[in-house]
Amino acid sequence: RRMKLKTYLTRTKTLGADFARSLGASPSAVSMWTKGRRIPSPPMIRKIVAATKGKVRADDLLGIGR
């Protein structure tokens, strides 16, 4: 089932800082992504999709199909 990154972090009880560390990103970047203030780079989108095992998809991060 697909979901937004913020929902994924909440449901899996994952701290943004821990998720950021696992991706090699900054906690502030993850915060901006979850708030929709920034869109991750294409390489980072691939990492997020992989880290969430496809639960968060590229189109969820890009705001396509909402």
Side-chain angles (χ1 to χ4, degrees):
R1 186 166 183 244
R2 57 189 278 193
M3 63 185 79
K4 292 182 181 181
L5 180 58
K6 184 175 185 173
T7 304
Y8 174 84
L9 295 175
T10 300
R11 288 192 182 167
T12 60
K13 298 179 181 167
T14 304
L15 295 175
D18 293 336
F19 191 69
R21 194 175 309 110
S22 74
L23 298 174
S26 69
S28 62
V30 171
S31 177
M32 287 187 280
W33 302 334
T34 61
K35 293 174 183 174
R37 292 187 181 158
R38 291 259 162 75
I39 295 173
S41 67
M44 190 57 69
I45 289 174
R46 287 190 288 275
K47 286 183 178 185
I48 293 167
V49 172
T52 63
K53 297 182 172 79
K55 288 186 172 83
V56 176
R57 298 182 350 185
D59 55 341
D60 298 317
L61 295 162
L62 296 170
I64 299 170
R66 288 189 188 161

